[in-house]
Structure formats: C-alpha cells, structure tokens
Amino acid sequence: MVEEPQSTQAVLARVCACVQAGKSDANTDIPPGSLGQPGVAEWVEMAIERGASPQTILEEALTAGMNAIGKRFAANEVFIPEVLIAARSMHVGLAKLKPLFVEQGMPSRGVLVIGTVLGDLHDIGKNLVGMLFEGAGWKVIDLGVDCPAEKFLAAVAENPGCAVGLSALLTTTMVSMGETVKSIRAQAPQAIILVGGAPVTEAYAREIGASGYAPDPAAAIELLDSLLSDE
Ligand code: B1M
C-alpha cells in the first residue's frame, strides 16, 4: 500500500527520486523489493492528472533526477549501471510526456552532436555523456564510433548552431581528434567543440583549438552551459 502524496510538488519529487533509483514502473523490481510499487511511469501519470505541465514534469522531475545522477556519478557515489538504469527510467517518463508535446515538439535546450573519433571504437563513456546531456534537456545526435571528420562536418551543416562533442580513449586516436577539430573550425569557426575521454587533458584541448575539456558528463554539461552564457 503506497501512501498518496498530498501535493503535486510531492508527486514531482517522487518522479525525481524514482529516476535516480532506476524505478521505471510498478512491474519492475529495481530497486530489489520494489515490485508493485509505483515508479516513474505511474508518478508521471499522476502528475499529469494533477495538472502539472509536461514542461514542469520534464524540468523539475525527469531532468532534475538525471542531473542529480550525473553529479553523483562524477563524485563516484554511483557507477555506470546506476546511470544506465536511471537513463532507462527517464526514457519511460519521456514516453509518457511525448504525446503531450506532439504539437509544439519536445522542448530542447539545444543540439549536441557527439561521436567517438576516427580509429576509436570505445563508446561506453561517449554513450554516458550523451545520455546525461539528453537527461539535461539536450537533443543528442549520436554519430557512433570511428567517426571521420566528414561525418561531424555533415552533422554540423545539418544542425546549424549545434555544439559538438568528441570522445577519444586511445593516445593514438587523440591525433584524429585534433584533425577533426581543425576541420570543424574551418567550416564553422564559432562552433562550440567539447572534448573528453581518459587520455584527453585540458592542455591538449587548448593545443588542438577545442572550446573546452571535461573529465566527466556532469562537468561537460556545466562547461557547455557556461560557454553558452559567455556568448
Ligand atoms: Co580498450 N583500451 N582497447 N577496449 N579499453 C583502454 C582505453 C586502455 C586504457 C586499456 C589499457 O591498456 N589499460 C587502452 C588504451 C591505452 C592508450 O591508448 N593509452 C586500450 C587499448 C590499447 C585498446 C585496444 C588497442 C586493444 C587492442 O586491440 N590491442 C583496442 C582498440 C580498439 C579501437 O578502439 N580501435 C581496444 C578495444 C577495446 C574493446 C573493444 C575491447 C572495449 C571497448 C568496448 C566499447 O567501448 N564498446 C575496450 C574497453 C572496454 C577498454 C577499457 C577497459 C574501458 C573503457 C571504458 O569504457 N571505460 C579501457 C581501460 C580503462 O579505462 N580502464 C580501455 C568506462 C567509461 C565510462 O570511461 O570511456 O573514460 P571513459 O569515459 C568517461 C570519461 O573519460 C568521460 O566521461 C566518461 C564517463 O565518466 N568522457 C567524456 C568520455 N568521453 C567524453 C566526452 C566529453 C566529455 C567527457 O565531451 C565530449
């Protein structure tokens, strides 16, 4: 028996907590022992019934939950599996909101084109960065792995004003990261280009002309926010 929250604000807080716990709906037993208890799906439905706008549910509950997970991940309080199940729960909530956003389209803070650079097949970190940007309200266009500069250039041309995120995990592929930044700069000199990945450093980002380096997804989101507010 679950006690019904008194206020809409309390319902939103439940959505936010369920995203962080990875509790998608009543039929899932994540976290263990929670089978039958409402999750993101049920609380989002209740928030809608109570008259909360889809925008409010998105920002104050789903995005807030994912932002919190991103910060806890950066602080080593949670790990990759927790981020993945939180992202899955957020998507369950988003699916409930999508029909309500049909006319105006899903709101978005902007577009981030992201990919792992040429020669590099590592995508776990890049995928986490993409998921947390999505959770923070960005439309994410994921170009995948082993991306030549041309692939980034085409995406930048198709999405004017987008930010670009490059990931590299090998010291050898950091070279193609530099070449990709150079090509993007030639086509779109003002583009914001973020770089990251285990071997990448702040100094290297500066050397290749990237707009900035971030060690983890939460830092990348903060960095992009601050670069945009400087524009
Ligand atoms: Co590879 N691998 N791997 N590997 N692999 C490393 C990177 C390595 C350090 C292992 C080692 O030797 N100790 C080493 C690199 C050495 C170096 O260059 N200095 C290495 C090597 C050598 C190789 C091969 C060459 C091995 C071989 O075949 N001889 C080969 C290369 C293939 C290729 O890419 N062409 C190879 C292959 C593979 C697998 C395919 C088997 C697999 C990748 C599977 C996949 O990604 N789908 C793999 C794996 C899993 C690893 C390790 C074990 C783990 C990488 C990972 O996913 N980490 C790795 C060793 C290690 O790191 N312990 C290793 C978890 C992930 C969450 O972290 O990617 O760093 P990370 O992302 C972080 C941050 O870096 C940051 O945020 C993420 C979350 O915090 N971040 C960004 C990432 N991108 C960002 C972008 C941003 C901002 C932040 O802004 C845009």
Side-chain angles (χ1 to χ4, degrees):
M1 177 68 187
V2 179
E3 202 186 318
E4 199 166 299
Q6 297 300 306
S7 67
T8 306
Q9 213 53 42
V11 178
L12 295 176
R14 299 277 172 106
V15 175
C16 181
C18 284
V19 167
Q20 290 178 66
K23 176 69 181 161
S24 296
D25 60 34
N27 297 323
T28 54
D29 196 22
I30 298 172
S34 70
L35 190 66
Q37 290 172 19
V40 171
E42 291 80 13
W43 291 124
V44 166
E45 277 166 7
M46 187 180 287
I48 295 167
E49 277 164 24
R50 298 247 180 131
S53 74
Q55 187 87 36
T56 301
I57 299 170
L58 180 64
E59 285 171 9
E60 294 181 21
L62 298 176
T63 298
M66 282 307 288
N67 282 344
I69 275 288
K71 290 193 175 129
R72 288 165 66 196
F73 179 67
N76 289 325
E77 290 168 13
V78 296
F79 301 98
I80 297 172
E82 283 92 341
V83 179
L84 296 178
I85 58 171
R88 195 172 55 191
S89 299
M90 178 200 66
H91 278 286
V92 168
L94 278 181
K96 295 277 172 198
L97 297 184
K98 256 184 190 147
L100 306 176
F101 279 127
V102 167
E103 278 177 22
Q104 68 214 63
M106 285 292 279
S108 154
R109 294 178 67 186
V111 177
L112 175 75
V113 168
I114 192 167
T116 305
V117 298
L118 185 66
D120 202 320
L121 302 175
H122 297 83
D123 67 356
I124 299 170
K126 182 262 298 166
N127 293 347
L128 289 174
V129 174
M131 272 176 213
L132 286 161
F133 264 94
E134 211 176 25
W138 288 79
K139 178 179 173 191
V140 174
I141 298 175
D142 188 343
L143 302 181
V145 297
D146 193 18
C147 292
E150 296 72 39
K151 206 165 174 181
F152 286 100
L153 293 179
V156 168
E158 273 168 34
N159 299 278
C162 67
V164 184
L166 307 179
S167 180
L169 261 288
L170 300 170
T171 41
T172 48
T173 57
M174 282 168 68
V175 179
S176 55
M177 180 176 256
E179 283 158 8
T180 304
V181 171
K182 203 168 155 196
S183 304
I184 297 171
R185 285 266 170 264
Q187 178 179 303
Q190 307 305 325
I192 293 183
I193 309 172
L194 305 184
V195 294
V200 182
T201 61
E202 182 83 55
Y204 184 68
R206 237 175 292 131
E207 184 189 320
I208 62 175
S211 315
Y213 155 80
D216 57 61
I221 292 167
E222 263 177 40
L223 175 63
L224 185 48
D225 281 343
S226 82
L227 289 170
L228 286 170
S229 66
D230 290 347
E231 276 190 339

